Amino acid sequence: MSAARLGRTGVRITPLGFGAAPLGNLYTALDDDLARATVDAAWAAGVRYFDTAPHYGLGLSERRLGAALADRPRDAFTVSTKVGRLLEPHPAPTGSDLAAGGFAVPDTLVRRLDYSRDGVLRSLESSLDRLGLDRVDVVYVHDPDDHLDTALREALPALADLRDQGVVGAVGVGTNAVAPLLRVVAEADVDAVMMAGRWTLLDRTAAPLLELCAARGVSLVAAAPFNSGLLSRPHPPADATFDYGRAPEAVLRRARLLAEAAARHGTVLPHAALRFPLRSPVVAGVVAGFRHPDEVTAAARWIATDLPKAAWLDLDAAADATREP
């Protein structure tokens, strides 16, 4: 796969990135062998960008990803992780993190939000230990929406210092809300932002963010291109999920119209969903989560093949016709 540069840095990412939340047992458990096989399939397909976070499985995602990449040449791949949640011993574990965090792991640890300079440095040090790496290439401040002032005042300057010292390659913020990222791009020294679920075939509410990123020389990494499942299958089922909950009927209807438009042009909804974000030159890559080797192999094939202009015209018309006023 080709690779795009993040902002004005030397860090490059492949157009398809491996989202490692499933490696942390997102919603349901994934055994070690299948987790490793899925990373191996991504590598075989040419994926060289891997994104994780302490939040994902209370560190399990970072540990599994680090183990899977341990034998790969370090200069051959790009890794991003996130700061903002410190993992600490749980004073009263319940036995499972599913209710609190959404991951099928024992809750022996608990997340504590910390966007201070010290918190960022502690978080990154712990992530490096879990990953078994001496450096990560990209660090995002994770979901600082309700702590944006602190993130702008402490977390991002701390990361910028690390970047300037050559400790990390690029810095940014990752969240699923547009408004915080508009402020970050306008006010902070960032190289990239990770926008989850708001620049997709179905949800295009991040359009103002893309315009600002273009003006400021900031790259956008489009995460959650399937809107947490709704766009991941050729024919969205009645129980499909959208933004981590069951899709409302109106949203499901819109997704099905998009699926029909894709089918008219000889392709499938997930192909169009993966390719859509890359239509903007501001978007450096698309990050999706994978639980099985077959999923990542199919995604790599789709990401490598654009849709014809007529298909995009039809899909755009379907999106416009179904967009709520």
Side-chain angles (χ1 to χ4, degrees):
M1 290 187 186
S2 60
R5 190 171 64 168
L6 292 183
R8 299 180 179 89
T9 73
V11 177
R12 304 182 74 87
I13 66 171
T14 46
L16 179 62
F18 185 100
L23 299 190
N25 289 356
L26 181 63
Y27 303 133
T28 58
L30 190 70
D31 68 56
D32 289 340
D33 289 342
L34 186 55
R36 175 60 184 263
T38 305
V39 176
D40 288 347
W43 189 274
V47 175
R48 295 294 183 270
Y49 174 41
F50 301 86
D51 175 70
T52 185
H55 172 55
Y56 304 155
L58 297 171
L60 177 61
S61 172
E62 289 181 317
R63 291 194 298 273
R64 281 177 162 170
L65 181 62
L69 295 175
D71 297 330
R72 317 287 187 184
R74 181 61 188 91
D75 291 338
F77 60 86
T78 298
V79 169
S80 59
T81 193
K82 306 181 182 77
V83 295
R85 290 176 172 92
L86 290 173
L87 303 182
E88 300 177 341
H90 198 312
T94 66
S96 173
D97 181 58
L98 270 175
F103 293 88
V105 296
D107 62 342
T108 53
L109 299 172
V110 65
R111 305 165 182 85
R112 181 172 65 82
L113 297 179
D114 190 335
Y115 296 95
S116 70
R117 181 182 184 88
D118 288 345
V120 163
L121 298 177
R122 286 178 56 197
S123 179
L124 183 55
E125 182 179 7
S126 296
S127 287
L128 290 171
D129 183 60
R130 286 187 291 267
L131 285 161
L133 297 174
D134 61 358
R135 72 182 192 279
V136 291
D137 305 285
V138 189
V139 182
Y140 299 108
V141 180
H142 202 182
D143 295 335
D145 308 30
D146 297 328
H147 305 269
L148 201 51
D149 288 340
T150 304
L152 288 165
R153 187 176 61 249
E154 297 195 39
L156 284 167
L159 293 178
D161 287 346
L162 293 177
R163 179 195 58 202
D164 295 345
Q165 296 165 22
V167 178
V168 300
V171 303
V173 172
T175 184
N176 59 11
V178 175
L181 293 184
L182 286 170
R183 187 176 168 196
V184 165
V185 174
E187 299 181 20
D189 178 13
V190 294
D191 308 298
V193 291
M194 178 175 279
M195 177 81 265
R198 298 295 169 260
W199 185 241
T200 73
L201 186 65
L202 184 66
D203 186 335
R204 307 185 185 191
T205 51
L209 177 63
L210 269 71
E211 294 177 10
L212 184 59
C213 285
R216 300 275 293 178
V218 173
S219 294
L220 188 140
V221 178
F226 302 131
N227 284 118
S228 75
L230 179 60
L231 306 182
S232 66
R233 286 181 272 187
H235 305 286
D239 62 349
T241 55
F242 174 76
D243 285 355
Y244 312 107
R246 184 160 180 165
E249 186 59 36
V251 173
L252 181 61
R253 184 166 58 251
R254 293 173 61 203
R256 287 173 171 172
L257 289 174
L258 289 166
E260 291 169 6
R264 284 194 293 271
H265 296 273
T267 190
V268 290
L269 182 60
H271 180 191
L274 273 175
R275 283 294 315 187
F276 168 80
L278 295 172
R279 296 171 70 190
S280 169
V282 174
V283 175
V286 179
V287 171
F290 303 104
R291 301 184 63 86
H292 193 278
D294 292 346
E295 294 175 353
V296 71
T297 300
R301 184 174 67 251
W302 287 325
I303 209 82
T305 307
D306 200 359
L307 279 65
K309 182 177 180 180
W312 287 124
L313 290 171
D314 199 1
L315 286 159
D316 288 344
D320 288 340
T322 58
R323 188 170 294 128
E324 305 219 356

